[in-house]
Amino acid sequence: MGDNLKKNMIGALAWSSVNIFGIQFIQLIIGITLARILMPADYGMIGVLFIFIGVSTVLIDGGFAQGLIRKKDTTEKDLSTIFFLNLLTSAALYLILYFSAPLISRFFSQPALIEYSRVLFIAVLIFPLYLIQQTQLLKKLDYKSIAIVNIVSVAISGILAVILAIRGFGVWTLVYQQLAFHGLKAIAFPFFLHWKPQFSFTISTIQNLWKFSIPLLGQTSLNAIFNQLYFVIIGRFYPIQQVGYFTQANKYSETVNAATQSILSSGIFPVLSKIHDDKPRLLRIYRKLITSVSTITFPFVIFLMVAAQPIVVTLITEKWLPSVILLQLLLLANLFTPMFTININVLNAQGQSATSLKLEIIKKTLIVISIISCFSFGIEVMLAGFVAANFLAYLISMASIKKSLRHFYRHQVRDLIITLMISSITGIITWIIPYPANTAAIKLLYMGVTFLVLYLLAVMIFLPEKWSEIKEVLKKITTK
């Protein structure tokens, strides 16, 4: 059982990584191309609408997808019931959003949003058409099929968007890109999972999943709202171009944050659920995850902060320079987000979704307090408050892990502190070194090489066990 679990976990993480980083890489290339063609105002116009898409998809899911994954004896009636529930919810939400379009337009003082939003919100109707197939593949740990579907969908919809942008479609480029992405997923998933719903709807299925799913619904709803909250605030009180700058900054920040969170949430939760009753084993796996993830994410995030200016100029030109400071603050705010995500998944795997919901509520409360306290001082100070709120939320989540796994604070700190110090010092040295570069691209290359060499040397000296693991991975890669 142990070997099988380890094999499943490695396979899940491997294909989940292919899925997420494959998507991120394609989106990065497409995003760079589109950012060079489109204007900040185009991104701003669509950016203020994503909160409605995000919240709608969460409400359609309702937390039942993870409930189905966790349930050991899932039946066809269960799957069909949730499928039809998702369809009914999506139809109701689209009608609400369609007739709310004029209100949304007036709120942001953008009359064109009426037409854009009514077309964009069609994505809400498409989402439930593939949600159950995706859930079943997740339950089977078939991340290979999911990766293929997602990567192909992102690539084709991205190519379409580039063509439309070149032809001068402006904002409609981003609208049609979203619809194409969801539509392609709905078409592709049936090729990998031949499933048709039964014409059945049982209230008992909803009742059985309700206790676990509702706290998750609250948690994911809060996440969806707060992930887009700054778009709404900036769109309401600042010029629409500022939303565009924030959109680009957030996009590059999410290259790390969303990718890591998605891998950990989708790849780790099903595996941890299988051993949720074995606390010592769960603790061992938890510590391994924390140390391994931090070894990768800490240096990556800190390097992106240090090299933010040459990255922005090199990739999307100087017209996006106002995004640099916003990018740095968002990266700093999400430094501990992967660890917070692991903590939430460990609690959920043990059936403590109510506790994870409380943590999310606390985190969101801290964010609201930071917004209220810092809003009048401008966007940059408001994001600095976001940094403080996220750091404090992670510290509070450590208390729940201590209680759940009997994992004491000093051990939790010890698992992270050396990697954090190495990454920070390496970042400072990379920042202060003068580079003989005439262009942003050359400067970025110098900074990248410097940071990589210094970080690997530090790991080799201060974290020899991690260095051994890195060498093993490199050895396996080179021998294949």
Side-chain angles (χ1 to χ4, degrees), residues 303-407:
F303 172 72
L304 289 177
M305 289 175 59
V306 170
Q309 192 267 348
I311 288 173
V312 168
V313 174
T314 300
L315 296 182
I316 54 178
T317 73
E318 294 182 352
K319 73 179 178 182
W320 293 99
L321 271 175
S323 299
V324 171
I325 183 62
L326 307 182
L327 171 60
Q328 292 170 326
L329 288 168
L330 288 172
L331 287 167
L332 182 59
N334 289 318
L335 183 64
F336 290 101
T337 297
M339 290 76 218
F340 185 84
T341 301
I342 293 174
N343 290 354
I344 292 296
N345 275 274
V346 167
L347 294 171
N348 286 340
Q350 297 177 88
Q352 299 179 33
S353 56
T355 301
S356 61
L357 174 60
K358 290 177 184 177
L359 288 174
E360 290 291 354
I361 292 174
I362 291 171
K363 181 178 180 179
K364 274 41 179 184
T365 301
L366 292 171
I367 291 174
V368 169
I369 292 172
S370 73
I371 291 174
I372 294 173
S373 303
C374 304
F375 171 74
S376 60
F377 297 99
I379 297 175
E380 295 173 11
V381 176
M382 185 167 61
L383 291 182
F386 181 53
V387 172
N390 276 7
F391 279 24
L392 186 55
Y394 174 64
L395 293 175
I396 294 171
S397 76
M398 293 170 66
S400 296
I401 291 298
K402 177 180 179 293
K403 180 179 179 181
S404 176
L405 297 179
R406 295 192 60 79
H407 188 28

Side-chain angles (χ1 to χ4, degrees), residues 1 5 8 139 141 269-277:
M1 175 65 182
L5 180 63
N8 288 338
K139 189 177 180 69
L141 301 181
F269 176 76
V271 176
L272 295 180
S273 295
K274 297 179 184 297
I275 58 167
H276 65 271
D277 292 328

